Amino acid sequence: MDTTDDIAEEISFQSFEDDCRILRSLFNDVLLREVGSDFVHKLERIRILAESACNMRNAGIEETADLLEKQLISELSKMGLDEALMLGRAFSHYLNLMGIAETHHRLRKQRNVPQLSKSCDDIFSKLIQEGASPDELYNHVSQQEVEIVLTAHPTQINRRTLQYKHIRIAHLLEYNDRPDLGHEDREMLIEDLVREITSVWQTDELRRHNLHHCPHYLRRVSNALKKHTGRALPLTCTPIRFGSWMGGDRDGNPNVTAKVTRDVSLLSRWMAENAEKDKYESWSQNMQRSQSKFQSKLPTRVDLPSTDCNDEDSQHPKLELPGTDYMPLNRQEGAKKSQKPNLDGNGSANAQPFRNFSQCLRASFQKLLEPSQPQHPGIAPYRVVLGNVKDKQSCGSGVLADGRLADLIRRVSAFGMVLMKLDLRQESGRHSEALDAITKYLDLGTYSEWDEEKKLEFLTKELKGKRPLVPPSIEVNPDVKEVLDTFRVAAELGSDSLGAYVISMASNASDVLAVELLQKDGRLAHGGELGKPCIGGTLRVVPLFETVNDLRGAGSVIRKLLSIDWYREHIIKNHNGHQEVMVGYSDSGKDAGRFTAAWELYKAQEDVVAACNEFNIKVTLFHGRGGSIGRGGGPTYLAIQSQPPGSGTLRSTEQGEMVQAKFGRPQIAVRQLEVYTTAVLLATMCPPQPPRDVKWRNLMEEISKVSCQHYRNMVFDNPEFLPYFHEATPQAELGHLNIGSRPTRRKSSTGIGHLRAIPWVFAWTQTRFVLPAWLGVGAGLKSACENGNTDDLRAMYQEWPFFQSTIDLIEMVLGKADIPIAKLYNDVLVSECRRELGTQLRKELMATEMHVLVVSGHEKPLEGNRTLMKLIENRLPYLNPINMLQVEILKRLRQDEDNHKLRDALLVTINGIAAGMRNTG
């Protein structure tokens, strides 16, 4: 019998299906007008055929499903190229429209729930009920530090133009839910939808993220905190900040140069300053028009911050208001009484002083933003000035003070004058090459040939010295020059504009000290040779441990670093005793398989935390997650709650299509930020349980060992696997398509090892085999079950958040995998001599599903997530034909590689499959 929740879900899902029907019907009407009835009838016939095949397979009638799919494949294979391209476009747009309806479905469900699960109100209430004191809760929220870093990884393949159009369609669906719409309103809404859908169809899809939802999110946090503790969130507290890699991530990307980094950073600052100025002026003008009676005394002079960042004794310029006495900000003692102000035109004795002050403050903002100002003064002066205005205003009108002005102060606090600080990232080998050139020039030998101890001795000695390392007369190759130029630009921009310097493929303590030395030399060169002052402090240097071997050594590397007196003192003095460490989910997964990578990441984080605790150093763990499960993706809440205890403050990447999915709509963005806050809060105040006993850890080691061995035997040791991968997936063709910001490989080698994780996962996702997320898992679980550990595995699933999260994410992937579709790629595209390998892999996928379900106790994948199951089933009548079409296009393209129309058609199918799978790489 259905529960109340089940019935509510059915009603809600019916509304989703209604939205899909409306959009499909309108899209068909557009196609009838644009391309004619013959094509639309064929489109509908294919959709109905695919839907029938899906229904038969869901009912277990496999033979009928196979026959229907063969009929479908036959019809698609007979299509001409132009018709196939048009069909691929149509089904891709269907899936994008369905994705819009899915997002709207989520928002509709949120609106209908009085108190959302995992919301601030929900979690704060639970923590108080479980014994947390209001003061404890208040302090934890006020001191929380989370940073979301938006990366440049190219997994967003929808053009920005289409994203704008999709957002407009989403707004119209939201408007359609209003119960007060009359007949004429609905007719106009349908007309607007038709116009937007027509525009989508007419847009060439072959080749925005507004983060100003932050004040809404912060207001929600503040309201919940005030409700449960009696105190609102301080205005300058920002539990979540944003960072970026866009224009700073040069790892393997020759397009990101020192000049690009400088230009992007300055552009970001310009955008932030103008955005804040516009927001301030809007608020200021509103306040000037207000006739509210402000009873407080307002300051009659604004002290502008000095624009000379190095001149601490310089006097701030002053803006005086005529006809009033000066009262300094933050200084009540000794203040003169203000003269009685004149009445304004409306007879208000109190509004005019505020208007005068507001005009004065506007002038101060404008002066600070003048192009003639050499450097910006940082954000502190703005917070001080606005905070004083808030305090003054709240004396007379708290409601106004807690509205737009509070939002303005929070926006300024969250984004500052640079919008988002830019991280720099480079591969460790490039720094070694630069030091090789320097040591050879100085006749010291070849740096990269030294052992680790000699490197550390040299680096530490140079770091303690005061002279520059790089002679002005040195001549180096372009690659080395680019590395040195990057450090000089970093010195010019400084920590006011830049965040961390991330070292990819880090494996030793010397990798970190090498960057510290090059950074020091860049600052000396910038201040001396170029004659310009360095802005802000040194950048945080963050080692990124990516491979399994590097993850296993992460704790030892941190211990070695912190045992060096110079480095430990540097961390304490310049970085507030805070060490940041990044762990990579993508390359570790490609290196050893998802299960082993998950376990090694867990252990590495435990060891890094322990190492920092030994030296009384605080730690920030930076999680380099991708969008897909194979690259560490998954629901945010699950991911954070499954971290080891004591993980400290948090940074995490959001990549590609996940940025649009999580932050593209205001309501979704606010909800996502709230989930970050509550998940981190719970992990801090109620840390997740570690493994219950040593037996569980030993069992994880056994599963991991078997899983890794099986994965590597297949991927790296089987000579047939690499050619099978190239034949069975569109990986080889992806490199020719304009959807990436960097080469698909780190080096020219054709092996799996140097292939980047994004195309590795992307290619398998396109074929619906999603192999990187499950290969090896079944072998590991099977071994544990055969050794009599089934009950222990089930207990681990019920009691250990990390293990439960790992199994749930793998089960989610299995629910998206499709064996018949994967078999089609195998049968049509793979050489006959290698097809048996495909058969073996499909059997392994089925075995993995069986053993995962034994552990979770479910009868089939996604049994615990009925909504996702239904959503996936709804996509299949559109998704399956696109996969079948992609197979046909790949077959033709491999016989006619220079056919640009075929390449366009392939990219259209890639777009469609990505929309249907709701992720790429």
Side-chain angles (χ1 to χ4, degrees):
M1 182 177 180
D2 282 343
T3 65
T4 304
D5 287 344
D6 291 333
I7 295 170
E9 172 61 27
E10 292 298 332
I11 294 171
S12 176
F13 202 80
Q14 183 62 51
S15 300
F16 160 71
E17 291 179 326
D18 290 343
D19 289 337
C20 289
R21 274 191 289 270
I22 291 172
L23 293 174
R24 186 176 71 226
S25 174
L26 294 178
F27 188 40
N28 281 345
D29 290 344
V30 170
L31 292 177
L32 278 169
R33 187 178 65 251
E34 296 287 322
V35 297
S37 59
D38 289 347
F39 177 77
V40 174
H41 292 151
K42 179 174 284 191
L43 200 68
E44 273 298 285
R45 187 167 66 252
I46 289 172
R47 183 190 67 81
I48 292 169
L49 200 57
E51 189 172 39
S52 300
C54 292
N55 291 338
M56 291 297 103
R57 202 167 293 287
N58 287 338
I61 311 174
E62 300 291 337
E63 289 185 8
T64 305
D66 289 342
L67 287 172
L68 290 169
E69 286 177 353
K70 285 180 181 177
Q71 183 181 344
L72 188 57
I73 292 165
S74 174
E75 186 156 348
L76 291 170
S77 66
K78 294 174 184 174
M79 281 188 171
L81 181 54
D82 289 339
E83 191 176 36
L85 179 59
M86 197 156 25
L87 181 130
R89 287 190 65 211
F91 276 118
S92 294
H93 285 310
Y94 272 136
L95 285 164
N96 277 314
L97 290 172
M98 189 172 290
I100 295 168
E102 286 182 21
T103 301
H104 181 59
H105 172 61
R106 288 173 57 195
L107 292 174
R108 183 190 287 123
K109 288 179 66 178
Q110 289 180 23
R111 285 198 304 267
N112 294 333
V113 176
Q115 187 186 62
L116 283 171
S117 172
K118 306 179 184 72
S119 67
C120 289
D121 193 21
D122 174 40
I123 298 303
F124 293 0
S125 174
K126 288 178 180 175
L127 287 170
I128 293 291
Q129 290 173 9
E130 292 171 5
S133 71
D135 285 347
E136 186 182 9
L137 175 61
Y138 177 85
N139 290 334
H140 273 98
V141 174
S142 299
Q143 295 167 15
Q144 188 176 103
E145 295 180 29
V146 175
E147 186 171 358
I148 299 169
V149 181
L150 311 182
T151 77
H153 291 327
T155 58
Q156 172 55 269
I157 59 177
N158 268 330
R159 287 183 61 194
R160 189 179 304 177
T161 306
L162 280 175
Q163 292 174 39
Y164 286 140
K165 299 180 193 302
H166 293 167
I167 289 171
R168 288 198 289 270
I169 293 171
H171 289 159
L172 290 170
L173 283 182
E174 190 173 349
Y175 186 65
N176 190 46
D177 281 348
R178 287 180 52 172
D180 61 338
L181 286 186
H183 178 71
E184 184 179 357
D185 293 330
R186 293 208 183 272
E187 284 188 341
M188 292 174 64
L189 182 142
I190 293 298
E191 290 173 4
D192 288 341
L193 275 172
V194 169
R195 274 190 286 272
E196 292 299 339
I197 293 172
T198 302
S199 178
V200 164
W201 175 253
Q202 292 178 349
T203 298
D204 178 10
E205 61 266 51
L206 307 186
R207 323 238 248 254
R208 156 192 105 109
H209 310 300
N210 186 350
L211 298 177
H212 288 288
H213 314 315
C214 235
H216 184 179
Y217 145 75
L218 289 168
R219 197 186 292 192
R220 186 176 289 185
V221 176
S222 183
N223 290 342
L225 199 59
K226 190 171 184 178
K227 175 181 175 180
H228 295 287
T229 70
R231 288 186 286 174
L233 185 73
L235 285 176
T236 55
C237 279
T238 51
I240 292 182
R241 295 181 184 273
F242 290 91
S244 174
W245 279 12
M246 302 176 198
D249 183 7
R250 61 234 318 118
D251 177 18
N253 189 350
N255 300 317
V256 179
T257 63
K259 181 181 184 302
V260 167
T261 295
R262 186 181 188 278
D263 290 348
V264 169
S265 181
L266 294 178
L267 176 63
S268 177
R269 195 177 92 193
W270 178 84
M271 291 174 67
E273 290 172 344
N274 280 276
E276 300 307 345
K277 183 180 74 172
D278 290 346
K279 294 290 183 183
Y280 172 75
E281 288 185 348
S282 173
W283 164 81
S284 176
Q285 290 164 3
N286 280 323
M287 291 300 100
Q288 286 184 60
R289 288 192 292 267
S290 172
Q291 297 302 309
S292 302
K293 293 184 178 181
F294 298 102
Q295 299 172 2
S296 60
K297 296 177 181 179
L298 290 170
T300 57
R301 187 189 74 178
V302 177
D303 288 353
L304 292 178
S306 169
T307 56
D308 183 352
C309 295
N310 286 330
D311 185 3
E312 296 180 359
D313 297 325
S314 63
Q315 294 296 312
H316 294 175
K318 301 172 179 64
L319 293 176
E320 302 282 354
L321 290 182
T324 54
D325 290 330
Y326 167 62
M327 183 176 69
L329 297 174
N330 275 338
R331 206 185 316 157
Q332 300 296 331
E333 292 183 11
K336 300 177 183 178
K337 287 187 176 182
S338 298
Q339 296 176 0
K340 184 178 179 180
N342 296 324
L343 296 174
D344 66 9
N346 293 313
S348 171
N350 293 301
Q352 189 61 39
F354 184 82
R355 291 175 182 171
N356 290 345
F357 175 73
S358 181
Q359 290 171 344
C360 182
L361 194 53
R362 285 176 64 197
S364 77
F365 269 80
Q366 289 166 349
K367 185 172 180 63
L368 282 165
L369 299 177
E370 287 175 0
S372 61
Q373 299 292 356
Q375 302 290 347
H376 69 87
I379 198 56
Y382 295 87
R383 284 206 298 249
V384 171
V385 171
L386 288 171
N388 275 273
V389 179
K390 168 74 164 58
D391 292 341
K392 302 293 181 187
Q393 186 180 339
S394 63
C395 295
S397 184
V399 174
L400 284 174
D402 288 332
R404 290 182 179 178
L405 177 55
D407 285 349
L408 175 62
I409 297 171
R410 286 180 170 135
R411 184 179 286 107
V412 169
S413 296
F415 296 106
M417 283 299 155
V418 293
L419 194 63
M420 293 181 285
K421 287 192 177 184
L422 185 66
D423 280 3
L424 307 183
R425 182 170 80 135
Q426 182 59 279
E427 197 256 332
S428 59
R430 294 290 300 275
H431 307 131
S432 293
E433 290 171 11
L435 287 171
D436 276 351
I438 295 167
T439 54
K440 286 178 183 177
Y441 183 86
L442 297 173
D443 292 328
L444 297 175
T446 304
Y447 171 83
S448 60
E449 295 177 358
W450 301 345
D451 62 29
E452 179 67 4
E453 288 306 313
K454 185 174 180 180
K455 288 179 180 178
L456 291 175
E457 182 183 356
F458 166 76
L459 294 168
T460 305
K461 179 182 176 182
E462 291 296 330
L463 283 164
K464 289 178 179 178
K466 295 183 179 180
R467 64 173 176 81
L469 175 66
V470 183
S473 59
I474 192 172
E475 294 184 3
V476 294
N477 66 49
D479 286 346
V480 171
K481 183 177 183 301
E482 180 56 43
V483 171
L484 299 178
D485 286 348
T486 296
F487 283 102
R488 286 167 183 160
V489 166
E492 176 190 346
L493 296 172
S495 60
D496 284 346
S497 296
L498 303 178
Y501 191 109
V502 179
I503 311 166
S504 57
M505 292 295 169
S507 57
N508 294 293
S510 60
D511 293 330
V512 176
L513 292 190
V515 172
E516 293 285 9
L517 180 57
L518 290 170
Q519 178 175 207
K520 172 198 167 188
D521 203 78
R523 290 172 67 81
L524 288 172
H526 180 68
E529 179 187 334
L530 301 181
K532 297 179 182 177
C534 296
I535 306 303
T538 61
L539 306 189
R540 309 185 311 274
V541 178
V542 180
L544 164 53
F545 300 103
E546 301 182 78
T547 68
V548 166
N549 284 337
D550 290 343
L551 286 168
R552 287 171 178 166
S556 298
V557 170
I558 298 304
R559 285 184 180 87
K560 184 66 177 177
L561 279 169
L562 295 176
S563 70
I564 298 171
D565 292 341
W566 178 91
Y567 184 79
R568 189 174 63 256
E569 291 167 6
H570 167 70
I571 287 291
I572 293 170
K573 178 182 177 181
N574 295 311
H575 301 298
N576 299 316
H578 228 113
Q579 173 68 55
E580 186 173 327
V581 176
M582 186 172 184
V583 289
Y585 291 69
S586 300
D587 284 286
S588 58
K590 182 170 68 71
D591 189 34
R594 184 71 262 139
F595 192 94
T596 297
W599 180 230
E600 294 298 337
L601 283 157
Y602 186 92
K603 292 191 298 178
Q605 292 171 68
E606 283 185 319
D607 202 18
V608 165
V609 170
C612 289
N613 288 341
E614 289 166 19
F615 290 90
N616 199 28
I617 296 293
K618 293 173 286 186
V619 63
T620 294
L621 288 174
F622 186 2
H623 301 271
R625 301 180 184 277
S628 62
I629 306 301
R631 295 183 53 242
T636 301
Y637 205 82
L638 265 182
I640 295 174
Q641 283 294 292
S642 63
Q643 301 303 320
S647 297
T649 54
L650 175 81
R651 294 184 93 210
S652 183
T653 57
E654 291 289 1
Q655 301 180 3
E657 82 282 357
M658 301 313 298
V659 178
Q660 177 65 22
K662 292 182 177 181
F663 305 110
R665 296 281 305 279
Q667 304 96 319
I668 295 289
V670 170
R671 172 67 172 158
Q672 186 64 35
L673 295 174
E674 195 174 18
V675 165
Y676 261 107
T677 296
T678 57
V680 172
L681 181 67
L682 274 178
T684 305
M685 296 185 70
C686 306
Q689 291 297 312
R692 190 176 67 189
D693 54 37
V694 176
K695 184 179 181 181
W696 285 9
R697 298 187 74 94
N698 292 338
L699 189 52
M700 283 296 297
E701 290 290 347
E702 292 172 19
I703 298 171
S704 175
K705 181 179 178 180
V706 173
S707 176
C708 180
Q709 184 176 2
H710 188 87
Y711 176 91
R712 292 192 63 85
N713 284 345
M714 176 61 73
V715 174
F716 293 98
D717 299 338
N718 187 333
E720 292 297 313
F721 182 83
L722 183 59
Y724 179 86
F725 171 55
H726 287 312
E727 291 182 349
T729 75
Q731 187 277 325
E733 289 77 13
L734 290 176
H736 300 291
L737 301 174
N738 188 29
I739 59 173
S741 65
R742 66 186 70 205
T744 57
R745 295 181 176 277
R746 277 196 165 91
K747 298 182 181 178
S748 58
S749 163
T750 58
I752 299 290
H754 291 135
L755 178 69
R756 291 187 177 276
I758 289 175
W760 164 247
V761 175
F762 198 147
W764 288 113
T765 303
Q766 285 284 303
T767 68
R768 311 266 294 282
F769 211 10
V770 286
L771 177 143
W774 57 262
L775 183 62
V777 176
L781 294 178
K782 178 184 177 183
S783 174
C785 291
E786 288 177 346
N787 289 332
N789 294 304
T790 303
D791 289 342
D792 286 315
L793 291 175
R794 288 173 174 163
M796 289 162 65
Y797 179 79
Q798 294 296 328
E799 300 177 30
W800 187 12
F802 162 74
F803 187 73
Q804 184 182 73
S805 171
T806 302
I807 295 297
D808 284 347
L809 291 175
I810 293 168
E811 187 177 311
M812 185 188 300
V813 168
L814 296 173
K816 285 188 173 184
D818 192 297
I819 288 178
I821 292 293
K823 184 177 184 297
L824 178 64
Y825 282 81
N826 181 85
D827 293 349
V828 175
L829 301 174
V830 175
S831 303
E832 189 171 352
C833 62
R834 297 190 185 96
R835 288 178 192 164
E836 183 56 35
L837 180 58
T839 302
Q840 179 185 341
L841 288 169
R842 291 194 300 277
K843 287 179 179 177
E844 185 161 343
L845 172 58
M846 290 186 284
T848 300
E849 180 178 309
M850 180 183 73
H851 286 97
V852 166
L853 295 177
V854 165
V855 173
S856 69
H858 299 154
E859 292 186 8
K860 58 182 179 179
L862 298 177
E863 183 183 284
N865 193 338
R866 292 177 56 195
T867 299
L868 180 57
M869 188 190 304
K870 287 182 178 180
L871 293 174
I872 291 174
E873 289 172 356
N874 270 267
R875 299 174 203 160
L876 294 181
Y878 307 95
L879 181 57
N880 288 353
I882 302 183
N883 276 111
M884 296 171 183
L885 189 62
Q886 185 179 84
V887 171
E888 178 63 27
I889 290 169
L890 281 168
K891 185 177 76 172
R892 297 185 194 183
L893 185 58
R894 290 174 183 180
Q895 297 166 357
D896 187 6
E897 294 183 356
D898 296 327
N899 192 317
H900 295 292
K901 270 195 172 182
L902 280 171
R903 293 199 181 279
D904 285 350
L906 177 61
L907 183 52
V908 166
T909 63
I910 287 172
N911 278 328
I913 295 167
M917 296 294 282
R918 299 304 298 270
N919 56 45
T920 51

